[in-house]
Amino acid sequence: MQTSWEVIFYRTPAASVIKTLIAEAKRFGIEPWWEVDDLIFDLELYSQNSNLLSLSKSEQEVLLEGAELYRECLQLCGRGIASTRVLGEIMLRAGVKDVCIIENALDGETLGIADRLLEEEAFPVVNDEIVIVYGSGTRTHDQDFVECAAGLAAAMDVEPRLVLKIIGELTLPDDFQRFGARVEYLEGRDYAGYMAVLAGADIAIAPLEPSIFNDAKSNIKFLEAAILQVPAVCSPCDTFRDVVDDSKNGFLAKDEMAWRDALLALARDEALRERIGQQARQDVLERYRPEAIARQQVATQFPPSEHRRETDRLRVMAVNIFFKPRSFGGATLVAEEMATHLSALETDISVFTSYEPIAELFSSSLRYEIEGLPVVGSPLSTHIDPIAGLDNPRCTAQFVSWVKAFRPDVVHFHSIQGLGLGMLQACLEQDVPFVVTLHDAWWLCERQFMVKPNGRYCFQRHIDLNVCRSCLPGAMHLKVRQDMMLSMLKEASLLLAPSESHRALYLANGFAPELVKVNRNGFSWPKAARSPRQPGTPLRFGFVGGQEAVKGFPLVREVFEGLESADWELVLIDNTLNLGFASMDVSGWEVKGRITIQPAYGDATRDAFFNSIDVLLFPSQWMESYGLTVREALARDVWVISTSPGGQAEDIVDGVNGDLIPLDGRPDPLKTAVEGLLARPDRLDSYVNPMKDRLPNFHGQAEELKQFLQSVVH
């Protein structure tokens, strides 16, 4: 259901679980259909069916009680699919706003059985009998049989060759006892067995009591006989009148005389039986083959998916491990912003992501809409095994389902660790081009940021697995991992790096220059001017990287615990607070200044955060692919202390809009820069970054990204 555009509830009562499913369909904007091919949802009309009288009181009560539940389900869905015109009219009277008619088709099993039976040798004639077959099935058809009983008995009186075979339960009128062995009861049997008996008949009959209940029934009894080239005599109910061309492909009989005359005419004229049977088969094949019903009736209401596209707009599916409302990390922010900005650039966007597993959903995917974007999430814990996360068959299957439903022109992969490489292989199998944005070094290094267990950056450029094995002793899978990752990346139509520095890393590992392009990350520019720093107040530092060593958190602690000055404030951002748990604890820090912890900022609080600090600390211990926070600070006239080299340093000019310190894992350079600012805080009282005009923005990034994506579409 999560990746469907339409949902049909077939013959379901309004049980609790069904109501839940209807609500789930409506949650993501689908108006479900309720389908039925019997009048089982109108208590008043259903109770008028005289065949119910053959049932016990308790059986009648169960059926009539069910009618109320069926009606409720129809009304909850709000739209109906009926197999007959009359059934559709009754649905409309029940209060639904939309009804379509889709007749019961001849199914593949029935067609196959009929073809096999017709290929067999002709049935032997026994004593020159003319066999009439009536398929009753259950004991609820006694009253229906009354419609033909007198005419049938009259015909059998006149024509002694006529014999009657009844399949299933039926209580015959007493006057049929005079025919003795000419009336034969056959036990109910499976469908193939029923069709075999019908194929051996000379004539089939389909009597129905005149009633709205029977007018609402489908004409399946005629179709079954016709497909076997057995001529049929039917009551003139609505659906029989619609398909039977009287005396051409069958007979309609409304009273005793009509039943007698039709049966005698067929019994006495073998050529007529053959001609009627052949015409009936020809007519029903033309109209009731599955392909015909699909083309003439189903497709008008449910057009094939390729016809759903009303424009030639580019269709893009973005894939990222996290997405709103489960936002976490810089790559997620970029993925979210690109989806939003591409949508504004007249591009159709959908998203595939993960969600924290919910017990009630078991392993189902979860579809939702956020800010107008359709999103499908696959259940995935935040705790991802680095090896098992390379392959996620369940996620791949759910991704394929979403791809088939949305039919993107191109898939754009962002950070996908945990979602699995199977999605890229699926794109190849589905013949959908894909583009990968290289947000970090995960594709090259299992440690993702190329940081050793001791917190120091690995300065490899071309990855040497011999070096990697010393970093991950006992890791026997590194070669297999490398082969998997690189082989999949090389199948991409295009690779995008957020900085020249990061592009150079992938070029050093064998990727062709024409395959790797730079698409600089934008960021959210300030919505209001920065408030001037108040002279004489403590200098305010901010750190956004979490407590990982790769972001320099241990260096920040060591430096600030070593400061003699108390005239400062440090604001730490704990990203995990938005995921429902805290990861930072500074109760053991021995400092003279003031430390506060805040949750990650969002669009509404970003300006307020940067307005609350004067200096951004960015002592990252790896060559960052970009450094989003650095750009956010530079755009808001916040001084930045950052390591270099790396993408984080490409928009900083040392001494002009920040301080660059070496990427060597030592606290001394960071401490020197911090103490330098504490010694002259007045330098920042009226500071304005003079190089803001060089910074990118999300709109420009999205325009360039759309060109890249468009360029790879078949």
Side-chain angles (χ1 to χ4, degrees):
M1 183 186 288
Q2 299 296 323
T3 53
S4 299
W5 298 122
E6 299 280 6
V7 176
I8 299 171
F9 290 87
Y10 178 72
R11 208 181 178 102
T12 52
S16 175
V17 65
I18 299 298
K19 290 181 179 180
T20 299
L21 292 173
I22 292 173
E24 178 67 1
K26 291 182 175 181
R27 179 183 65 79
F28 42 72
I30 290 179
E31 293 186 79
W33 299 84
W34 189 78
E35 181 180 5
V36 77
D37 59 357
D38 266 322
L39 183 53
I40 59 173
F41 58 89
D42 189 300
L43 180 61
E44 180 181 354
L45 295 175
Y46 194 31
S47 60
Q48 293 174 12
N49 177 17
S50 58
N51 287 306
L52 292 179
L53 298 176
S54 63
L55 302 178
S56 68
K57 186 70 173 176
S58 61
E59 287 173 321
Q60 291 181 43
E61 290 175 354
V62 168
L63 287 175
L64 295 177
E65 180 183 354
E68 289 295 318
L69 292 175
Y70 287 129
R71 185 183 186 87
E72 182 184 359
C73 198
L74 167 65
Q75 293 171 335
L76 284 173
C77 288
R79 300 198 291 179
I81 299 174
S83 58
T84 67
R85 178 188 63 81
V86 172
L87 202 58
E89 291 175 353
I90 300 170
M91 282 183 170
L92 288 172
R93 293 205 296 267
V96 298
K97 65 179 182 179
D98 191 10
V99 170
C100 69
I101 309 301
I102 298 177
E103 293 181 273
N104 284 339
L106 282 164
D107 60 280
E109 180 184 3
T110 299
L111 290 169
I113 292 171
D115 289 345
R116 288 193 299 273
L117 290 170
L118 290 175
E119 288 174 1
E120 295 176 358
E121 294 183 7
F123 290 88
V125 177
V126 180
N127 300 325
D128 200 28
E129 291 179 344
I130 306 297
V131 178
I132 299 174
V133 168
Y134 175 60
S136 172
T138 65
R139 66 183 189 278
T140 59
H141 295 285
D142 291 357
Q143 194 62 38
D144 286 329
F145 188 81
V146 169
E147 292 300 309
C148 73
L152 173 58
M156 293 179 71
D157 282 332
V158 173
E159 177 54 75
R161 292 180 301 161
L162 284 173
V163 299
L164 174 64
K165 291 186 177 182
I166 300 165
I167 307 174
E169 301 179 58
L170 182 70
T171 303
L172 281 174
D174 291 340
D175 58 352
F176 272 78
Q177 292 180 9
R178 68 178 184 272
F179 297 117
R182 291 171 63 193
V183 176
E184 181 181 0
Y185 282 95
L186 304 177
E187 291 184 355
R189 57 205 59 211
D190 63 20
Y191 190 64
Y194 160 73
M195 291 291 283
V197 174
L198 185 59
D202 297 291
I203 303 169
I205 57 174
L208 287 173
E209 178 188 22
S211 66
I212 292 181
F213 181 85
N214 283 333
D215 277 337
K217 278 183 170 293
S218 63
N219 50 27
I220 192 66
K221 289 298 182 187
F222 176 79
L223 301 186
E224 290 170 343
I227 201 65
L228 291 167
Q229 295 184 178
V230 176
V233 184
C234 309
S235 292
C237 293
D238 192 77
T239 54
F240 285 143
R241 292 199 306 270
D242 185 47
V243 69
V244 176
D245 188 355
D246 196 30
S247 301
K248 300 291 180 56
N249 64 2
F251 286 89
L252 295 172
K254 66 178 180 179
D255 54 29
E256 177 182 346
M257 183 175 295
W259 275 100
R260 184 199 65 184
D261 291 348
L263 292 171
L264 287 176
L266 288 169
R268 291 169 174 172
D269 190 340
E270 182 178 356
L272 176 64
R273 294 198 300 273
E274 184 174 343
R275 184 172 68 252
I276 293 287
Q278 289 177 348
Q279 188 64 49
R281 178 176 167 87
Q282 179 181 325
D283 290 348
V284 301
L285 282 177
E286 181 178 336
R287 177 171 171 178
Y288 290 100
R289 275 187 180 276
E291 300 85 357
I293 294 292
R295 182 179 63 255
Q296 298 166 7
Q297 299 182 28
V298 179
T300 59
Q301 187 64 52
F302 304 99
S305 56
E306 59 266 23
H307 296 160
R308 294 183 180 277
R309 297 188 60 161
E310 299 176 357
T311 70
D312 292 327
R313 287 160 50 121
L314 180 67
R315 290 175 75 81
V316 179
M317 181 177 292
V319 183
N320 192 68
I321 178 66
F322 299 120
F323 202 82
K324 296 177 182 178
R326 196 189 189 200
S327 296
F328 182 77
T332 299
L333 175 63
V334 173
E336 291 170 346
E337 290 290 347
M338 287 302 94
T340 301
H341 281 77
L342 284 173
S343 180
L345 291 172
E346 298 187 346
T347 305
D348 293 333
I349 301 291
S350 71
V351 178
F352 187 80
T353 186
S354 70
Y355 72 90
E356 186 70 30
I358 301 171
E360 293 79 4
L361 291 179
F362 299 98
S363 59
S364 170
S365 60
L366 174 66
R367 177 173 159 195
Y368 60 95
E369 184 174 293
I370 191 159
E371 298 176 5
L373 299 175
V375 182
V376 167
S378 182
L380 188 68
S381 171
T382 53
H383 306 290
I384 303 167
D385 183 279
I387 300 176
L390 296 179
D391 186 30
N392 189 332
R394 179 179 62 198
C395 174
T396 299
Q398 292 170 348
F399 168 76
V400 169
S401 178
W402 189 217
V403 166
K404 289 181 177 179
F406 185 73
R407 300 175 64 86
D409 298 314
V410 58
V411 175
H412 183 196
F413 291 104
H414 290 272
S415 292
I416 64 167
Q417 50 268 38
L419 298 178
L421 297 179
M423 298 184 298
L424 281 68
Q425 180 63 36
C427 287
L428 295 177
E429 295 170 358
Q430 297 294 321
D431 195 28
V432 179
F434 64 91
V435 172
V436 180
T437 289
L438 308 164
H439 286 283
D440 48 45
W442 178 73
W443 296 94
L444 303 175
C445 172
E446 182 164 301
R447 299 188 67 85
Q448 190 171 353
F449 302 108
M450 297 180 67
V451 176
K452 299 177 181 180
N454 61 6
R456 300 294 180 89
Y457 179 61
C458 169
F459 283 89
Q460 288 192 87
R461 300 308 287 163
H462 176 76
I463 303 301
D464 182 349
L465 292 184
N466 291 321
V467 176
C468 296
R469 291 187 181 98
S470 66
C471 182
L472 290 166
M476 305 296 293
H477 66 285
L478 293 181
K479 181 62 170 67
V480 175
R481 180 190 191 276
Q482 185 182 71
D483 291 343
M484 291 171 60
M485 302 293 266
L486 298 188
S487 63
M488 279 290 93
L489 272 191
K490 289 178 180 177
E491 294 289 351
S493 298
L494 198 62
L495 302 178
L496 301 177
S499 66
E500 289 289 351
S501 172
H502 204 55
R503 176 175 183 263
L505 175 63
Y506 281 82
L507 295 184
N509 283 276
F511 290 92
E514 61 271 17
L515 180 64
V516 190
K517 305 292 185 181
V518 174
N519 182 222
R520 295 176 72 204
N521 287 343
F523 58 88
S524 297
W525 281 71
K527 298 176 181 178
R530 176 181 173 80
S531 301
R533 167 178 150 74
Q534 295 298 315
T537 58
L539 198 60
R540 302 167 300 175
F541 297 87
F543 178 75
V544 184
Q547 66 176 355
E548 293 82 6
V550 66
K551 294 296 185 180
F553 184 74
L555 296 179
V556 172
R557 175 174 183 174
E558 187 172 350
V559 166
F560 279 81
E561 284 188 324
L563 294 177
E564 293 298 327
S565 171
D567 199 20
W568 54 266
E569 178 182 352
L570 175 61
V571 180
L572 300 174
I573 295 295
D574 186 349
N575 286 341
T576 63
L577 289 175
N578 288 339
L579 297 178
F581 62 94
S583 61
M584 285 185 174
D585 180 9
V586 297
S587 60
W589 286 32
E590 297 178 358
V591 297
K592 296 181 173 62
R594 180 168 176 258
I595 300 177
T596 59
I597 298 177
Q598 298 179 13
Y601 53 80
D603 191 55
T605 57
R606 184 177 288 105
D607 285 351
F609 166 72
F610 283 104
N611 211 32
S612 71
I613 65 172
D614 307 306
V615 181
L616 175 71
L617 303 174
F618 204 87
S620 176
Q621 292 306 294
W622 78 291
M623 293 175 65
E624 294 268 351
S625 61
Y626 187 64
L628 176 67
T629 314
V630 170
R631 274 72 180 187
E632 291 176 333
L634 293 174
R636 290 165 173 79
D637 301 318
V638 173
W639 191 265
V640 179
I641 301 176
S642 172
T643 49
S644 178
Q648 72 273 22
E650 289 184 356
D651 285 311
I652 299 174
V653 177
D654 193 33
V656 176
N657 57 1
D659 291 310
L660 294 177
I661 60 176
L663 204 165
D664 60 7
R666 297 184 302 114
D668 296 346
L670 176 60
K671 184 176 182 182
T672 299
V674 168
E675 289 179 336
L677 292 173
L678 287 172
R680 288 286 312 278
D682 56 301
R683 290 172 52 198
L684 302 180
D685 287 350
S686 57
Y687 164 71
V688 174
N689 177 14
M691 308 181 74
K692 283 189 289 189
D693 60 342
R694 302 183 184 182
L695 298 172
N697 57 51
F698 281 130
H699 181 74
Q701 181 189 3
E703 288 185 321
E704 184 180 56
L705 175 59
K706 183 175 181 179
Q707 293 177 2
F708 283 137
L709 296 174
Q710 188 77 64
S711 72
V712 306
V713 174
H714 298 321

